[in-house]
Amino acid sequence: MDIRPRDDAARWQQKAYSIIFESDTPAGRAFDIGLLAAIVLSVLAVMLESVRSIAAEYGHFLRAVEWFFTGLFIIEYLMRLLVVRRPLAYALSLLGIIDFLAIVPTLATLLLAGSRYLMVIRTLRLLRVFRIFKLGRFVGEGEFIVNALKASRFKILVFLAAVVSLAVVVGTLMYVVEGGQNGFTSIPKSIYWAIVTLTTVGYGDISPVTFLGQTLASVLMIMGYAIIAVPTGIVSAQMAMPAAPAAPPAPAYKQVVCHVCQADGHRPEAEFCWRCGEKL
Amino acid sequence: MDIRPRDDAARWQQKAYSIIFESDTPAGRAFDIGLLAAIVLSVLAVMLESVRSIAAEYGHFLRAVEWFFTGLFIIEYLMRLLVVRRPLAYALSLLGIIDFLAIVPTLATLLLAGSRYLMVIRTLRLLRVFRIFKLGRFVGEGEFIVNALKASRFKILVFLAAVVSLAVVVGTLMYVVEGGQNGFTSIPKSIYWAIVTLTTVGYGDISPVTFLGQTLASVLMIMGYAIIAVPTGIVSAQMAMPAAPAAPPAPAYKQVVCHVCQADGHRPEAEFCWRCGEKL
Amino acid sequence: MDIRPRDDAARWQQKAYSIIFESDTPAGRAFDIGLLAAIVLSVLAVMLESVRSIAAEYGHFLRAVEWFFTGLFIIEYLMRLLVVRRPLAYALSLLGIIDFLAIVPTLATLLLAGSRYLMVIRTLRLLRVFRIFKLGRFVGEGEFIVNALKASRFKILVFLAAVVSLAVVVGTLMYVVEGGQNGFTSIPKSIYWAIVTLTTVGYGDISPVTFLGQTLASVLMIMGYAIIAVPTGIVSAQMAMPAAPAAPPAPAYKQVVCHVCQADGHRPEAEFCWRCGEKL
Amino acid sequence: MDIRPRDDAARWQQKAYSIIFESDTPAGRAFDIGLLAAIVLSVLAVMLESVRSIAAEYGHFLRAVEWFFTGLFIIEYLMRLLVVRRPLAYALSLLGIIDFLAIVPTLATLLLAGSRYLMVIRTLRLLRVFRIFKLGRFVGEGEFIVNALKASRFKILVFLAAVVSLAVVVGTLMYVVEGGQNGFTSIPKSIYWAIVTLTTVGYGDISPVTFLGQTLASVLMIMGYAIIAVPTGIVSAQMAMPAAPAAPPAPAYKQVVCHVCQADGHRPEAEFCWRCGEKL
């Protein structure tokens, strides 16, 4: 009942709009779930094809699958353009660009082999599908995390800047200390090592050999071990906060997206899009 | 005094039920402790047998130990079936299935060598033995942890989904960047690498070699280093919460398990099982 | 003014007691600092001697240093026995045993070469020296940490039990999955791998090679990455607690140790040892 | 309007002072941004020159860039000396020393090749540039982190002392257990290994091989995994604190630095430097 396609829309366009862009009808929901499956399957096909032994045996089949889904996505993209009120606004919106990029890589292989793998950008299309879950508890929880991170973003940026500076200084010191040997063959490589160490990843592809180097590395490790407390403390403190004046329990959103700018998250009683002001 | 075996139970069945299923009599407690020892010893025997040098010398002895304990567990399983009011309900309950699976692998070796190791499932039987500790402080503390995790489960799921998506995207990028070389031989393998890196495990069995690859890896590491703050913050905030209206100090549970569904954790004054409603 | 040596103590014993066991006189404080230096130097000497190139050149000197400090520690130990009211009680107290063990290894090398390294137990003697710091802010802070850990000890034990169980189950699974190859040569070794992975250490001396193994390892890593949130959350929540009824600002302790049981931390106005009841 | 150069300052000195030392005029701000770029570029040039393949091709150009920026920094340093009221006080202040050290390494290469890399100390000059950000939200956030760390510094020191002690004891034990083999060739090296393990870095350049060694390592890893909770808890608790009596919202500082001691962070209405008492 919230379908608002083009003003001059034919019946089929109204119907298609409701199916493709919304998820509060059985058909719309089925479409979203089918889309989810198609995205996952097409990404899986590309992944499997990258495994040499599988490619040798099922290469043709997997490539067919890939083209099949690319075909589907092209049709879907064209449909979206057709039923939306302002096709250009859609094409230039974030989700519209992602939809477009999802079909380009396969087509591009006709010109340039290997570009196929860029298709992994399709994973980003899952963002669109997450709208399905908007109905469940996941929205609130996801928003809680995102909000805590947003509120802490300046603190986290300052922290990251400090970490990177530390890695630059220690990395260069190590280059001098280890004398350009034992894997520390250049300053950028030594900085890479410092980041590997500071974050406690520790591949071991490069590791200090001299006594002085190992001592310096030990100091860096202990710092990395203690420093992790900072972002953790920031986020913990943010999340433990009394949540301001106890935000009202996240209103159920209207299950409609704006047919112009594709924004969602409208209040149940909303008559107009909160982003572009278009009538919903 | 809370023994409730089959209605038509012989004296010995009543007695056996109290020993096997409950732990508030000296005999019942001794049985539980003996069971704990038997489980640990039988698992240890299988572990030791997997060490080639030990197997060469003590193989026969260890196998005898294994069969001895399997024999005990078979007898125990049959006893449980005999004394329980509804044998089928028990056999199909979670603990009943675990009890059954604990004896199958050894028997299966008669048909299929190697299946023996599945016996490690016996470790899960320790769940049953944890009931002994139900008496001490451990219940409350364990429940505190489990409750905090339960309350945070949606947040943690959203977080894990984000982590896995990130690993998929970065893994594929690395496959393209490193050109299918230096260990990044396929997309699934590159995703495995991304997970190894993002979680700061960092085996080093696969590690980037090109400059671009090392740069991308550095970004991923710093993200992994900062991202860990999210689950930590979630759980910390949850645990620091004022515990709602100060839950009454965790009542001491009745030390009885339901003779039908094996549920425990009944209120001291409970007359009926909280799960299946059977009279206790 | 709080010196309480043997009742029949000679003047020199009283003086020695105050110097050796207490730290509120200039001499007592100087003794503690000298002891700190002696411990650190003697441990350093053993460390350096373990480095082959250094041992080749300075071996004799380092061994002389070691015997010198061992001589000092023997004299110190005998002095402590002489001036203390109940020598046996001291000899059997924790600190007394550590004092004794600190001199045994060097002596034992007369019988058994190599036992020398056990001398590292001398590091534990630093515990005694920490009393010096009792005066500063460190006591309160150290106690804050220890108290938070103590208050969380049941939660942490439950958590560690869960981690070890998980490592046992996953380790055995990996042994089956990787088929006893690629380093997973026995179940104990596989469990070792599981712990290396779960704690995000990730040496890479053993790492999965099969697809199934890498998938299982990925799951384990993500679990280890998320699970770390649990102990962190526990301790954070404990530390963030309003500290009960705002404990009065940690009283300054009497700077005296009981001459019988060596306990310290007596209230300023205490007349008797809080542990053994002896008059201070 | 806050320019306070030498009392006998010529017009150009007043002007220069305002540009070089302050950032509340367009010129002053432009100078700071230019300085930021110069520092980053000069550090980048040294980094790139350390990469052998790049040095082979662009070595001369990069060295020219390095000398160009060093020339700029020398001019800048002399200017600072000229316009400041008390040149010696400036030269001996922290920032003054850093400014000096930033130009020494390049000059020193005339005498001693290789000293060039010490130039990375220029990164520390970024500290000066951070003043630009003093205007934005970053000050408050950075100060929040620094304050939380400062307030926790005693706790963190106690924690680090405990970690290092643990590493020393376990490292020596491992040296004994692994018998000076498998990479554990000396006690210092074993301590290095213990730190690598305890901090969950885990290079794998040294890893235990014997059963006893792997068991000991497992215990150490689990401890390291659990111990990380301590600094995290400390910082989280500190940050979650109600911030005392809700500190007034961080006053906007006067955008002036003391022309004697280079201190900044003066209250808007300040007439005198809070550090050296000089008139602002």
Side-chain angles (χ1 to χ4, degrees), chain D:
Chain D
M1 63 294 318
D2 266 294
I3 309 160
R4 283 212 186 62
R6 302 171 173 230
D7 290 340
D8 59 340
R11 253 222 98 80
W12 72 266
Q13 278 180 320
Q14 292 195 10
K15 182 122 195 137
Y17 183 89
S18 130
I19 292 173
I20 297 179
F21 280 103
E22 294 173 9
S23 53
D24 54 357
T25 58
R29 183 173 272 263
F31 178 84
D32 273 3
I33 290 173
L35 188 56
L36 172 67
I39 294 170
V40 167
L41 285 177
S42 71
V43 168
L44 265 185
V46 174
M47 276 186 193
L48 289 178
E49 209 197 326
S50 76
V51 182
R52 228 155 288 169
S53 61
I54 294 177
E57 209 159 335
Y58 305 101
H60 288 290
F61 171 71
L62 289 171
R63 209 155 301 195
V65 167
E66 193 186 323
W67 276 102
F68 171 73
F69 283 117
T70 303
L72 276 190
F73 292 151
I74 291 173
I75 295 170
E76 181 214 340
Y77 184 66
L78 294 178
M79 285 294 288
R80 285 183 191 267
L81 282 176
L82 273 177
V83 302
V84 129
R85 185 189 288 235
R86 298 197 201 150
L88 197 69
Y90 159 70
L92 295 179
S93 71
L94 179 66
L95 288 175
I97 291 171
I98 290 177
D99 289 348
F100 179 69
L101 289 179
I103 52 182
V104 167
T106 314
L107 299 179
T109 53
L110 297 179
L111 302 172
L112 184 71
S115 65
R116 174 166 62 263
Y117 300 119
L118 301 174
M119 214 199 75
V120 80
I121 205 166
R122 271 180 198 170
T123 338
L124 294 182
R125 292 202 72 200
L126 292 174
L127 279 179
R128 182 185 284 284
V129 180
F130 279 140
R131 185 169 315 130
I132 310 178
F133 301 120
K134 285 258 159 162
L135 312 173
R137 280 202 50 169
F138 286 96
V139 218
E141 305 294 8
E143 267 169 19
F144 175 82
I145 293 177
V146 170
N147 286 344
L149 288 180
K150 248 189 210 159
S152 320
R153 70 183 176 290
F154 285 103
K155 287 196 200 76
I156 289 177
L157 275 180
V158 169
F159 168 73
L160 288 184
V163 164
V164 171
S165 303
L166 187 61
V168 168
V169 172
V170 176
T172 310
L173 274 180
M174 276 306 267
Y175 176 68
V176 176
V177 163
E178 293 274 327
Q181 292 179 317
N182 310 320
F184 297 85
T185 50
S186 70
I187 294 184
K189 208 151 221 163
S190 300
I191 293 172
Y192 161 73
W193 167 86
I195 292 176
V196 168
T197 300
L198 194 61
T199 57
T200 77
V201 169
Y203 285 135
D205 51 349
I206 309 173
S207 61
V209 174
T210 63
F211 178 74
L212 199 57
Q214 292 186 339
T215 308
L216 187 57
S218 299
V219 172
L220 186 64
M221 279 176 241
I222 292 181
M223 289 181 72
Y225 188 60
I227 281 177
I228 186 108
V230 173
T232 307
I234 292 170
V235 177
S236 298
Q238 191 63 45
M239 288 185 170
M241 232 166 237
Y253 292 119
K254 206 170 194 171
Q255 290 186 35
V256 179
V257 288
C258 171
H259 48 284
V260 171
C261 71
Q262 309 293 323
D264 56 7
H266 304 288
R267 303 173 55 86
E269 70 276 23
E271 290 287 316
F272 299 96
C273 174
W274 57 263
R275 198 197 281 152
C276 68
E278 189 67 28
K279 201 154 182 347
L280 286 176

